[in-house]
Amino acid sequence: MTYSTHSIVRPIAGRLALDFLNTANWSSEGRVVQEKIAGMVDLDVWLRALDLFNAIHPASVEDIYAFRSNLRSVFLDGPQQVDLDLDQHLQSLKVQAPSSIESLRCQPILGIVAVSAMSLLNDARELKRVKMCPGSDCGWLFVDETKNARRKWCIMETCGNRAKAARSYARKAKA
């Protein structure tokens, strides 16, 4: 199920870099089980939903996949473990002094995501609040911004409800 065919874009992560990582559902082993960006049309749908419709596209979908996979490893394994080459993507921005919000939106998307990732990775307080949804074949990352830091699910209406229903079913089957 891709964004252009069935899926609704739900930016739930709290940060652009994490919403970018959530353009796929992940297995517990770290492989993609459901791809939401199968082509540039899907990327356009995602960019429009995040109000980044003027962002410049990468050369290919494979570039998106490689960057996303490496970025996910950085968040899960630590920045020193993976050669993400964020500097390359930051240099690709070629940012000039912005004259408007619109001029900021007209940057290369991987560069914009790299800036978001760098911001998050360099803030230890935020980084320790990055969590992964324990839902079956979900693996989405999000910033837990709750007061008591007890958010567990990416979206309670999907992963949380599935887990609650499974526990209820197991209790009834056991009785």
Side-chain angles (χ1 to χ4, degrees):
M1 186 169 6
T2 65
Y3 288 132
S4 62
T5 56
H6 295 87
S7 195
I8 296 172
V9 177
R10 295 190 71 178
I12 58 93
R15 302 297 176 274
L16 177 65
L18 299 180
D19 281 321
F20 175 72
L21 295 177
N22 296 343
T23 58
N25 292 345
W26 303 83
S27 72
S28 56
E29 299 85 38
R31 66 178 168 71
V32 173
V33 292
Q34 183 182 31
E35 181 60 63
K36 307 227 179 201
I37 298 181
M40 291 303 177
V41 173
D42 295 313
L43 180 63
D44 281 336
V45 171
W46 184 77
L47 290 170
R48 278 193 183 83
L50 275 73
D51 202 23
L52 293 169
F53 48 89
N54 289 329
I56 300 168
H57 288 214
S60 70
V61 175
E62 288 73 26
D63 292 340
I64 294 169
Y65 297 162
F67 183 75
R68 185 181 62 196
S69 178
N70 287 339
L71 183 60
R72 183 172 164 84
S73 295
V74 166
F75 278 100
L76 297 180
D77 302 333
Q80 61 278 15
Q81 301 298 319
V82 178
D83 179 23
L84 184 58
D85 203 4
L86 285 175
D87 289 336
Q88 173 192 344
H89 293 289
L90 290 171
Q91 289 173 7
S92 74
L93 283 172
K94 298 178 183 143
V95 176
Q96 298 175 348
S99 57
S100 67
I101 291 174
E102 203 55 42
S103 65
L104 286 173
R105 289 185 183 130
C106 297
Q107 304 298 331
I109 187 57
L110 295 184
I112 295 170
V113 170
V115 168
S116 173
M118 291 295 287
S119 173
L120 189 53
L121 290 166
N122 285 308
D123 186 340
R125 291 171 301 174
E126 278 208 339
L127 190 56
K128 76 178 183 182
R129 285 190 166 240
V130 172
K131 295 183 177 179
M132 182 175 10
C133 180
S136 176
D137 288 342
C138 177
W140 281 13
L141 298 175
F142 57 89
V143 175
D144 181 355
E145 296 180 295
T146 60
K147 201 174 205 178
N148 60 4
R150 294 187 65 188
R151 179 177 169 190
K152 184 173 183 175
W153 308 103
C154 63
I155 305 170
M156 186 61 195
E157 300 87 40
T158 55
C159 290
N161 284 349
R162 283 185 202 134
K164 286 167 59 177
R167 282 194 309 268
S168 175
Y169 179 79
R171 276 193 308 269
K172 288 177 183 175
K174 197 177 196 182

